[in-house]
Amino acid sequence: MTINEVDVVVVGAGFGGLRSLYALRQLGKTVQVLEASDGVGGVWYHNGYPGARCDVESYDYSYSFSPELEQEWVWSERYATQPEIMRYIGHVVERFDLLRHIRLQCRMEEARYDEQAGCWLLRCSDGSQWRARHLVLAVGQLSAPKAPQYPGQSRFAGQTIHSAVWPKQPVDFSGKRVAIIGTGSSGMQMTPVIARQAAHLTVFQRTPNYSVPAANAPVSPEEDARVKAHYRQRREQAWNSPTGLGFMPGKKSALQATPEERAQVYEAAWNRLGFGFALTYFDILLNQAANDTAAEFIRHKIASVIDKPELRDKLVPKNHAFAARRPSVDSGYFQAFNRDNVELADVREFPIVEFTEKGIRTTAKEHEFDIIIFATGFDAFTGSLLKPEIVGRQGLTLRQKWAAGPVTHLGIGTSDFPNLFVLVGPGSPSLLSNVMVSIEEQIDWLAALIRHMDAEGVVEFEAEPEAERAWVEHVNERAKETLYLTTDSYYNGAEVKGKTRVFMPYSGGVRGYRRFLRQCAEQGYSGFALRKVPLASQVAAVTEQASA
Ligand code: NA7
């Protein structure tokens, strides 16, 4: 069996993988992208449910590496829909001639580090094998869908769909009785759209979620020209903002403002800012009392658009701090419940008992459906990283190494797994940031590291155990300053039963994170061992000398 040789293998052809491919090709490296599915686009390729839309503004959720690309691409809406994002991805792939380096329907099943040679050996689902100095895991943080298993699930005679494995053919909801299980961003986005098409829609809610209106709108040619005339400044602002979204936190504490002032500030943010609402005062995510003021405002806003009094109390979130789990940025979710054909099923009050041939039986009654949609989210952060067998030094697997939670230095590499680079994974700002900013920051940093390795004749880089212990501690310390630890969420591993409970993303912001990356590089990649001869070969040589 031939083993294909390249400098770098990138796993995943989503935004991260494509950007990695571009950056590493620019370095002059031979790069192979391996993608399990039959198309590029990663999570966007699969999440084609009705209403799927980015919750970050289009101009910010796009690549910044090419001013020409920035200028020529025209976004039609403030928040791009999934089809428009897919068109953008298609354009990027074609414009930068990326497709010929991507192998589709090729799932990396095993990666094994060859300690003597200092390179990775990969085995894939299509039988292909690869050898590469560097392995970049760009597998996504929300790409391993999860769904509960109910008794009788296979008995259901209708169609069952997961929001993250959406069929490529359009689903016809007209005249259908539809169920959505889950009220995270996916459930909240699809609800108003499906409600308009279906005969009847039942939304099964476990935890009422906070949401801020998207205030989505078409982009006018004037607006487009205005943004493009100052695109660099806009990017600078995003890079220098804590979340990469361009919003700077207010200088004041929410508790210093008078109730009238707060009402004004919150009202203005509510009508325009989406996620930026959480930064109106600097302490909304740091202090419970400050958070209460924002949460109270939102509860009032949500209740005010719900016509049915009996639903207000059920739909209004109350048991967790605003933004301690990811809020949604919606377009008419709560208003959808004013329709006669939309029903809420509260699974905390009446849990789902089983699936039947006709639908779902709760402790209250049997609901009949033609289509049941699982909008139940993902095994976040580590789900896709731990799926393949990744074997580092001495047979140690990544699953074993991270059994008590992911351990990385700077969210990038982990000891015993040299030349392995995790893109926007645990320990990096990742899902707490505009992920596009984080992707570009990290991959440009890796490209610089590889350039440095080449210049110095270094063949192996590896996180040092002491450095990764210190980084994990720092990630935890930063999280303790926030309200993120006050509730269960996918940030802390609570989304999957039995998953180790640790806080995974870095909450110190993209600006602070960039400082760490720069400092690390300036100090000769401190915290990473850089070796001109692979460690195992050095050890072998010393042993040989000693025995001679
Ligand atoms: P999320 O945000 O993880 O939401 C999943 C939803 O599914 C959430 O409301 C869950 O309730 C619910 N869920 C999960 N399991 C169950 C069961 N067993 N019964 C009832 N309800 C359940 O995933 P999304 O796909 O919506 O969004 C993912 C990200 O995409 C989002 O954060 C944005 O970044 C974009 P819970 O809250 O756990 O009680």
Side-chain angles (χ1 to χ4, degrees):
M1 165 63 71
T2 340
I3 299 182
N4 305 287
E5 308 256 356
V6 283
D7 296 325
V8 190
V9 164
V10 175
V11 184
F15 270 113
L18 297 175
R19 181 63 170 84
S20 306
L21 170 58
Y22 175 80
L24 299 167
R25 293 281 312 154
Q26 289 295 102
L27 266 191
K29 294 286 163 195
T30 51
V31 187
Q32 181 64 50
V33 177
L34 307 177
E35 166 58 55
S37 58
D38 59 356
V40 300
V43 68
W44 288 109
Y45 181 69
H46 299 290
N47 281 254
Y49 58 80
R53 192 183 280 286
C54 190
D55 50 14
V56 173
E57 287 194 44
S58 315
Y59 288 106
D60 304 310
Y61 194 82
S62 56
Y63 291 128
S64 71
F65 66 84
S66 160
E68 295 78 24
L69 173 65
E70 278 176 344
Q71 292 297 322
E72 75 201 12
W73 183 260
V74 180
W75 291 108
S76 70
E77 289 181 85
R78 189 173 173 216
Y79 294 96
T81 59
Q82 181 263 358
E84 186 163 15
I85 291 173
M86 285 305 295
R87 285 197 293 280
Y88 175 76
I89 291 171
H91 174 72
V92 170
V93 165
E94 203 181 307
R95 194 190 194 289
F96 298 99
D97 192 19
L98 301 179
L99 208 51
R100 63 200 175 92
H101 307 290
I102 303 170
R103 192 175 174 108
L104 298 173
Q105 294 180 294
C106 176
R107 178 178 291 283
M108 181 193 83
E109 290 180 332
E110 185 190 277
R112 207 168 265 280
Y113 191 64
D114 178 336
E115 292 190 68
Q116 298 297 329
C119 62
W120 285 93
L121 283 171
L122 315 182
R123 220 179 25 77
C124 300
S125 57
D126 63 357
S128 64
Q129 297 192 45
W130 303 83
R131 192 195 326 264
R133 172 76 68 210
H134 298 280
L135 176 59
V136 176
L137 297 180
V139 292
Q141 321 77 47
L142 294 171
S143 53
K146 72 172 170 67
Q149 286 294 318
Y150 295 108
Q153 220 157 291
S154 59
R155 280 209 306 264
F156 177 57
Q159 191 180 3
T160 309
I161 315 174
H162 195 290
S163 58
V165 197
W166 200 261
K168 294 291 168 231
Q169 297 309 317
V171 179
D172 183 9
F173 292 103
S174 51
K176 302 276 168 53
R177 297 157 304 170
V178 182
I180 298 174
I181 304 177
T183 56
S185 291
S186 304
M188 287 175 120
Q189 286 187 337
M190 67 175 77
T191 290
V193 184
I194 296 177
R196 288 196 289 274
Q197 300 169 16
H200 191 84
L201 172 64
T202 308
V203 178
F204 289 82
Q205 169 193 271
R206 185 164 67 183
T207 310
N209 200 4
Y210 289 94
S211 185
V212 178
N216 185 39
V219 176
S220 67
E222 296 74 33
E223 167 80 352
D224 187 55
R226 198 182 54 72
V227 171
K228 286 176 177 170
H230 305 284
Y231 219 147
R232 282 298 93 184
Q233 283 107 303
R234 186 176 176 121
R235 295 295 195 188
E236 292 285 339
Q237 198 172 323
W239 295 331
N240 289 307
S241 65
T243 54
L245 291 164
F247 305 111
M248 294 311 285
K251 296 214 176 337
K252 234 178 177 178
S253 158
L255 304 174
Q256 280 168 346
T258 64
E260 294 74 27
E261 244 179 278
R262 272 199 308 259
Q264 257 182 17
V265 168
Y266 285 152
E267 185 67 33
W270 183 258
N271 292 323
R272 176 72 196 164
L273 287 193
F275 276 136
F277 186 93
L279 293 173
T280 41
Y281 295 103
F282 76 83
D283 52 356
I284 288 179
L285 259 164
L286 305 179
N287 177 306
Q288 188 61 58
N291 193 284
D292 289 343
T293 67
E296 202 41 51
F297 177 90
I298 298 175
R299 285 185 203 117
H300 176 76
K301 280 289 187 190
I302 292 174
S304 75
V305 299
I306 301 168
D307 295 344
K308 299 171 191 162
E310 71 280 9
L311 286 193
R312 279 185 207 133
D313 194 46
K314 291 184 193 299
L315 283 166
V316 164
K318 18 184 184 314
N319 294 331
H320 63 280
F322 164 61
R325 46 170 51 206
R326 188 157 167 138
S328 187
V329 177
D330 76 294
S331 300
Y333 170 70
F334 296 102
Q335 291 87 337
F337 290 91
N338 296 337
R339 300 175 62 100
D340 290 336
N341 68 334
V342 179
E343 180 185 349
L344 181 75
D346 181 342
V347 302
R348 290 222 194 262
E349 193 179 358
F350 300 115
I352 293 173
V353 177
E354 60 173 353
F355 277 34
T356 64
E357 198 188 332
K358 291 181 180 162
I360 293 176
R361 188 192 310 284
T362 67
T363 51
K365 64 173 184 176
E366 183 178 9
H367 301 253
E368 296 188 4
F369 298 115
D370 303 300
I371 303 174
I372 297 175
I373 301 169
F374 285 101
T376 45
F378 303 85
D379 179 353
F381 293 102
T382 50
S384 293
L385 285 171
L386 298 183
K387 211 181 275 175
E389 184 80 346
I390 299 179
V391 188
R393 291 195 186 286
Q394 319 242 326
L396 181 71
T397 66
L398 196 58
R399 262 176 246 134
Q400 290 165 333
K401 166 94 196 257
W402 287 4
V407 181
T408 67
H409 180 41
L410 292 172
I412 279 175
T414 188
S415 64
D416 285 321
F417 295 80
N419 297 350
L420 174 73
F421 186 89
V422 181
L423 191 65
V424 289
S428 78
S430 186
L431 293 174
L432 291 181
S433 67
N434 171 2
V435 81
M436 205 62 86
V437 168
S438 291
I439 285 169
E440 295 204 296
E441 182 75 44
Q442 280 197 330
I443 203 64
D444 287 343
W445 187 91
L446 176 68
L449 166 61
I450 293 180
R451 203 181 304 118
H452 175 82
M453 288 174 72
D454 289 351
E456 300 293 319
V458 171
V459 296
E460 193 173 73
F461 87 91
E462 182 176 359
E464 288 170 345
E466 195 42 53
E468 63 189 20
R469 262 195 298 277
W471 183 250
V472 170
E473 201 180 306
H474 176 65
V475 169
N476 286 325
E477 288 306 314
R478 294 310 305 257
K480 280 185 207 151
E481 295 163 9
T482 72
L483 297 176
Y484 288 124
L485 303 181
T486 60
T487 187
D488 285 352
S489 73
Y490 62 61
Y491 297 145
N492 49 39
E495 83 287 11
V496 175
K497 213 172 162 191
K499 188 167 171 173
T500 310
R501 294 288 190 101
V502 284
F503 189 76
M504 283 173 278
Y506 178 58
S507 58
V510 295
R511 198 176 30 168
Y513 179 70
R514 181 176 318 115
R515 273 200 295 271
F516 279 105
L517 287 186
R518 285 212 180 125
Q519 208 174 48
C520 170
E522 279 162 16
Q523 293 169 352
Y525 296 95
S526 54
F528 291 97
L530 301 184
R531 304 187 189 102
K532 294 186 177 182
V533 176
L535 182 65
S537 301
Q538 289 177 30
V539 173
V542 170
T543 319
E544 218 169 88
Q545 255 178 15
S547 59

